[in-house]
Amino acid sequence: MSEAQTQIPVTVLTGYLGSGKTTLLNRILSENHGKRYAVIVNEFGEIGIDNDLIVESDEEIYEMNNGCVCCTVRGDLIRVVEGLMRRPGRFDAIVVETTGLADPVPVAQTFFMDDDVRSKTKLDAVVALVDAKHLPLRLKDSREAEDQIAFADVVLLNKTDLVTPEELRDVEATIRAINPAATIHRTTRAGVPLETVLDRGAFDLKRVLENDPDFLEAHDHDHDHECGPDCGHDHHHHDHDHDHHHHHDHASPIHDVTVQSVSLRGGVMDQKKFFPWIEKVTQLEGPNILRLKGIIAFKDDPDRYVIQGVHMIVEGDHQRAWKDDEKHESRLVFIGRKLDEERLRRSFEACQAA
Amino acid sequence: MPTVAPLDLEGHCIATAFLGGVPHFALADGVVHRLDHGHKWTELHDGLLSTAYDAARSRLITGGEDGKVCALGAGDAVEVLAEIGKKWVTSVAAGPQGAIAYATGKTASVRFSDGKVKDFVHPRSVEGIAFAPKGMRIGVARYNGATLHFPATEGKPVELEWAGAHTGITFSPDGNYLVTTMQENALHGWRLADGKHMRMSGYPLKVKSLSWSVKGKWLASSGAPAAIVWPFVGKDGPMGKAPLELGTRGNAAVTCVACHPSEEIVAIGYNDGMIIAARFADQKEVLLRRPGKGAITAMAWDDEERRIAFGSETGDCGVIDIAG
């Protein structure tokens, strides 16, 4: 039995109260796409969700008993998914709507760390809804808003009609600073074509990064991390002779970002050096890494190797052959906190094949 | 030679039971099928989640996605015991004097035979619920341990702590031990007299099926290529002792176990649908059913100790007659 055929895709919707999650959810459920969804919500809200199959579950974060504090799963999702999958004929996909304050990480990790859930479902994408008007305030008073953006594959920058073009640009720059790998869509009333949020395959190694034009381009806003003078971050200004420059010319006036991203670029890598390195980095820095994604070129290997991870969980696989006109190079982005960019860069570059 | 009378159904079988000598097969869609002079069925729930066999009253207690708790007795007698609303009833248990218990979210409820209900609200979700064999006492599996309540009195609960998520719970038939299944691949046990811990680990998979042997001398479990059977004889239970490994297969995993009612024999179901019986004393094995369509998820012995009703996740159910 092929797992690929039987795994039900799961889309996770995050976002603060009022960001438009329910609007998007109702569009997913009501539009004529011929698919049936099972919806898992934390509370049957006041605003109605029009669907036959809605399951309410109490957010239940369980630390795994392996001594790793970032290895958390959502116990309620394990139980609900297990129950739903016993009657699989009722739906084609699952949408998990989280509460505004929910941490997206345990939700996502459930789909990697629990063997039963993993064998029957696959995480498709984490979609974050952001209220363009209120994001600056949210970032000021909570860490969750930032985590939700940092962790997302797709960000819907919603309610754009409520802000000026300047405000919108700043908010988008902030989102981009928190998460350079996410796809951002500007919307009003969550009005995006549904294919931009569904069936993304964001965690599918065969497809990972396909939808990340920004990441794939040699863009130069690698670390345009908005910080004011009082910000507690380490800034490593250094003059490397390659195309990584730290510059703050997109800098928004928003000073409440604690997530940073580190984009690394290198040549052809030595497998014997790279794998122990990535393992060590994720073991040691796992708690600080929210997401990582990369394309690695290995010496004597005709295929692109893609890698993605959440905290300490790392998955990698060969994706496809390098095309003739493609430069064999390696790119890796870390999104997280307290990342030592200089050290990551140095040790990453040390993995290059001689 | 054992013979198998198949019953091919559609859907995941949650539980099997003999009620009044008739084999019953409870499926996830909420329909309970039975072989009573032909194939008959009763729709009990819109979605079945949890079951418990009430041996004292020969009935099956069921909890559903529809928020209902029902009792199904012999002769298709259905009684609705509770209606909670839209929330899932994730665990049910049968107790003494006709009492039953059920879990929804963070609440464990005990319903006495007179219909009175007592709720126990916990800080975290109630993952599993079970009655102690003697006295009016329930155990609740929860995050970081288990909680014991005494529903007939106003006594304080007893908290048993052990880090990790505990998902299922069972008392030993003599009432001396409490054992939980965990989110990680392990069981945890407490000796209730003094709270002494028992760690039972080393499983390659999550343990989803437990069965006590006659008089509670052994606890059989799934979650490995063999049935792992822990000794609970002697004052220290399984501590410091190796479990029996019965019915080891290199290429399959045990998904369901059911101990014989009066002899030290266990029926072992595998993820490929095969079922064997194995004797503890000499580890002798007998094939009861060849591999089928999917993993065995339910087995129950009848009172005459001759038949086993079994069910699978793919719906290929049936009755094994040991004597043939």
Side-chain angles (χ1 to χ4, degrees):
Chain A
M1 191 164 61
S2 158
E3 278 193 357
Q5 284 175 338
T6 55
Q7 282 176 305
I8 295 280
V10 179
T11 302
V12 176
L13 300 185
T14 67
Y16 261 65
L17 195 67
S19 60
K21 266 183 309 187
T22 308
T23 307
L24 179 63
L25 184 55
N26 273 327
R27 285 199 48 224
I28 291 172
L29 297 176
S30 62
E31 284 192 11
N32 190 14
H33 41 56
K35 274 196 178 164
R36 295 161 304 160
Y37 287 87
V39 180
I40 304 173
V41 297
N42 270 118
E43 279 162 0
F44 294 124
E46 323 75 65
I47 311 154
I49 297 165
D50 187 21
N51 197 43
D52 291 339
L53 190 49
I54 303 178
V55 186
E56 189 191 57
S57 76
D58 296 311
E59 180 179 76
E60 195 65 79
I61 296 175
Y62 291 156
E63 257 176 49
M64 300 297 284
N65 222 355
N66 58 3
C68 157
V69 291
C70 59
C71 287
T72 50
V73 296
R74 282 276 298 270
D76 57 313
L77 287 180
I78 293 174
R79 188 181 276 276
V80 170
V81 167
E82 192 176 22
L84 286 172
M85 292 310 297
R86 284 177 182 164
R87 293 172 75 192
R90 293 183 289 173
F91 52 90
D92 308 298
I94 297 173
V95 178
V96 180
E97 186 194 21
T98 64
T99 62
L101 288 168
D103 180 353
V105 173
V107 178
Q109 290 189 155
T110 302
F111 296 91
F112 295 96
M113 297 188 70
D114 186 274
D115 291 340
D116 298 320
V117 170
R118 193 190 167 113
S119 69
K120 298 201 160 93
T121 58
K122 59 176 183 200
L123 187 57
D124 185 66
V126 178
V127 178
L129 279 105
V130 172
D131 176 338
K133 179 92 182 160
H134 292 108
L135 180 68
L137 203 62
R138 290 284 88 85
L139 289 175
K140 225 178 251 310
D141 60 21
S142 80
R143 179 171 152 146
E144 287 84 2
E146 197 182 355
D147 280 355
Q148 288 169 1
I149 294 168
F151 202 75
D153 302 290
V154 178
V155 176
L156 293 199
L157 180 49
N158 200 23
K159 306 200 174 180
T160 52
D161 51 335
L162 301 181
V163 293
T164 65
E166 293 73 36
E167 285 172 320
L168 185 59
R169 207 184 52 223
D170 287 347
V171 168
E172 185 163 340
T174 304
I175 294 168
R176 182 55 71 208
I178 295 170
N179 186 339
T183 310
I184 302 174
H185 299 283
R186 297 178 175 192
T187 67
T188 56
R189 299 202 53 74
V192 286
L194 290 181
E195 59 267 25
T196 60
V197 292
L198 298 172
D199 193 25
R200 304 303 295 160
F203 290 85
D204 180 347
L205 286 169
K206 295 285 171 213
R207 288 173 59 188
V208 73
L209 306 171
E210 256 178 34
N211 307 314
D212 294 334
D214 282 331
F215 173 74
L216 291 173
E217 290 307 310
H219 62 90
D220 58 2
H221 58 259
D222 293 306
H223 190 194
D224 51 356
H225 169 187
E226 282 78 8
C227 293
D230 314 328
C231 164
H233 296 123
D234 295 329
H235 292 266
H236 302 279
H237 292 277
H238 47 99
D239 297 306
H240 275 312
D241 197 18
H242 53 71
D243 56 358
H244 288 282
H245 302 290
H246 296 267
H247 57 106
H248 286 225
D249 53 357
H250 293 238
S252 81
I254 300 164
H255 291 247
D256 302 293
V257 174
T258 62
V259 170
Q260 66 187 119
S261 65
V262 175
S263 295
L264 305 175
R265 174 174 290 228
V268 174
M269 296 273 155
D270 181 344
Q271 296 198 29
K272 289 198 183 81
K273 290 178 185 164
F274 178 80
F275 286 117
W277 173 77
I278 193 75
E279 189 163 314
K280 191 174 158 202
V281 166
T282 50
Q283 285 298 313
L284 294 177
E285 296 295 323
N288 295 328
I289 300 168
L290 284 166
R291 291 285 292 266
L292 72 87
K293 292 181 179 186
I295 298 170
I296 309 299
F298 284 122
K299 193 176 179 224
D300 305 325
D301 188 339
D303 289 342
R304 280 157 54 117
Y305 192 86
V306 291
I307 187 165
Q308 65 109 355
V310 175
H311 282 322
M312 288 187 176
I313 304 167
V314 188
E315 292 186 329
D317 202 358
H318 289 100
Q319 186 189 34
R320 59 164 173 81
W322 288 98
K323 291 176 190 153
D324 291 340
D325 58 349
E326 266 177 335
K327 191 177 164 195
H328 289 224
E329 60 173 6
S330 302
R331 290 184 296 266
L332 189 58
V333 61
F334 292 92
I335 298 171
R337 289 189 170 86
K338 297 182 202 155
L339 300 173
D340 185 340
E341 176 168 7
E342 175 62 33
R343 192 146 138 214
L344 283 171
R345 186 181 311 286
R346 214 176 41 231
S347 52
F348 176 71
E349 284 168 1
C351 297
Q352 292 178 109
Chain B
M1 273 296 289
T3 56
V4 178
L7 174 63
D8 284 325
L9 303 172
E10 275 190 23
H12 181 119
C13 182
I14 306 259
T16 59
F18 284 91
L19 306 176
V22 173
H24 286 67
F25 307 84
L27 300 195
D29 62 4
V31 178
V32 180
H33 301 257
R34 64 186 187 278
L35 288 173
D36 183 12
H37 305 289
H39 176 194
K40 296 168 185 169
W41 59 89
T42 306
E43 186 166 351
L44 222 52
H45 293 277
D46 181 8
L48 175 67
L49 292 169
S50 48
T51 66
Y53 176 57
D54 186 350
R57 304 203 166 197
S58 190
R59 59 181 183 166
L60 192 67
I61 309 301
T62 58
E65 292 181 17
D66 51 6
K68 283 188 202 166
V69 181
C70 298
L72 177 69
D76 198 26
V78 179
E79 190 185 352
V80 178
L81 299 176
E83 284 187 74
I84 292 110
K86 283 195 281 188
K87 284 202 109 172
W88 284 17
V89 179
T90 49
S91 183
V92 292
Q97 300 149 42
I100 57 118
Y102 49 90
T104 48
K106 297 179 165 93
T107 305
S109 305
V110 175
R111 182 192 183 276
F112 299 93
S113 58
D114 63 2
K116 206 177 80 189
V117 175
K118 193 157 179 180
D119 290 337
F120 300 92
V121 180
H122 300 78
R124 306 290 294 258
S125 290
V126 175
E127 291 274 3
I129 195 164
F131 277 93
K134 288 173 221 132
M136 191 57 76
R137 184 165 50 151
I138 59 163
V140 163
R142 56 168 170 82
Y143 187 51
N144 287 339
T147 304
L148 305 180
H149 297 283
F150 303 87
T153 67
E154 297 302 318
K156 273 193 181 163
V158 174
E159 303 289 354
L160 300 168
E161 303 298 335
W162 185 260
H166 300 257
T167 52
I169 189 164
T170 178
F171 286 87
S172 64
D174 61 9
N176 291 336
Y177 300 97
L178 184 70
V179 176
T180 58
T181 57
M182 297 190 70
Q183 164 65 24
E184 61 193 90
N185 302 335
L187 302 177
H188 193 79
W190 289 268
R191 186 163 65 190
L192 292 173
D194 57 3
K196 195 173 164 138
H197 293 283
M198 294 173 282
R199 294 183 68 179
M200 290 162 272
S201 56
Y203 293 88
L205 300 163
K206 251 192 265 185
V207 182
K208 294 190 172 175
S209 175
L210 294 175
S211 177
W212 293 95
S213 75
V214 55
K215 292 185 181 142
K217 284 186 179 167
W218 302 84
L219 177 64
S221 57
S222 69
I228 305 299
V229 185
W230 297 93
F232 276 76
V233 284
K235 65 177 172 49
D236 282 338
M239 284 306 86
K241 295 172 200 154
L244 298 176
E245 297 182 25
L246 300 177
T248 307
R249 288 174 64 199
N251 54 352
V254 173
T255 52
C256 189
V257 287
C259 288
H260 188 280
S262 68
E263 289 180 51
E264 292 191 339
I265 290 172
V266 60
I268 304 169
Y270 298 85
N271 62 338
D272 62 358
M274 186 163 126
I275 300 172
I276 68 157
R279 188 155 61 196
F280 298 0
D282 56 6
Q283 311 209 350
K284 193 168 182 295
E285 298 170 9
V286 178
L287 178 68
L288 299 182
R289 184 198 186 225
R290 290 180 195 289
K293 282 193 261 173
I296 298 296
T297 49
M299 287 191 289
W301 292 81
D302 73 346
D303 290 341
E304 292 165 29
E305 305 174 357
R306 205 171 63 103
R307 293 179 298 164
I308 296 169
F310 67 90
S312 80
E313 67 176 7
T314 39
D316 48 336
C317 304
V319 179
I320 297 164
D321 190 326
I322 304 289

